[in-house]
Amino acid sequence: MKYLVMVQGSQADYAAMSGESSGGRPAWSKKDMQEMFAFMESINNDLAESGEMVDANGLVEPARTRAVLAGPDGRPVITDGPYGETQEQIAGYWVLDCESLERVTEIAARVARCPQPEGTPVHPVLIRPIDDGEVAAGPE
């Protein structure tokens, strides 16, 4: 079964990772960033070696996000980010092909242990099964 595993972050988190203390978040040092990247690289290498990795990427800061909605007249309404009404955004993801929900949960628990400076907010690691025809569509 394929799963989408997502990590979250806010614009303030991205600013902190750029070395700016923001929104009560401590500024990340170069060493903090190196530790985080090494940790994620280790996870990615293990998942590639096990054959469970389908795809993975980090995403750019929410300030570079764009939302497109259909307006009342059918014309697109375009809004550039970040969005005040939504603090956390998807910061990165993995598409994994795992034998069970328990296995992907083990991987998400490992991702959740990513090193970060003390005082940095903790965001959940989200798991969503990918509906490839194997997931029940709901009640009949």
Side-chain angles (χ1 to χ4, degrees), residues 15-81:
M17 291 171 75
S18 295
E20 300 173 32
S21 180
S22 176
R25 289 149 174 85
W28 287 52
S29 68
K30 185 175 182 177
K31 181 179 181 237
D32 294 327
M33 292 297 293
Q34 290 170 335
E35 288 176 2
M36 185 264 299
F37 284 127
F39 181 86
M40 291 300 181
E41 182 178 21
S42 172
I43 290 173
N44 290 343
N45 289 342
D46 290 349
L47 292 170
E49 188 175 308
S50 71
E52 294 168 304
M53 172 85 77
V54 176
D55 186 31
N57 279 292
L59 302 176
V60 299
E61 62 183 320
R64 295 176 52 193
T65 300
R66 175 172 279 181
V68 181
L69 300 169
D73 62 358
R75 291 180 177 210
V77 176
I78 301 167
T79 309
D80 291 328

Side-chain angles (χ1 to χ4, degrees), residues 90-111:
I90 302 302
Y93 69 90
W94 291 262
V95 175
L96 303 177
D97 193 352
C98 296
E99 63 186 36
S100 67
L101 180 58
E102 290 74 23
R103 172 62 182 143
V104 75
T105 301
E106 290 173 12
I107 295 165
R110 181 177 173 196
V111 170

Side-chain angles (χ1 to χ4, degrees), residues 24-27 32 116-121:
R25 289 149 174 85
D32 294 327
Q116 56 189 11
E118 189 170 324
T120 301

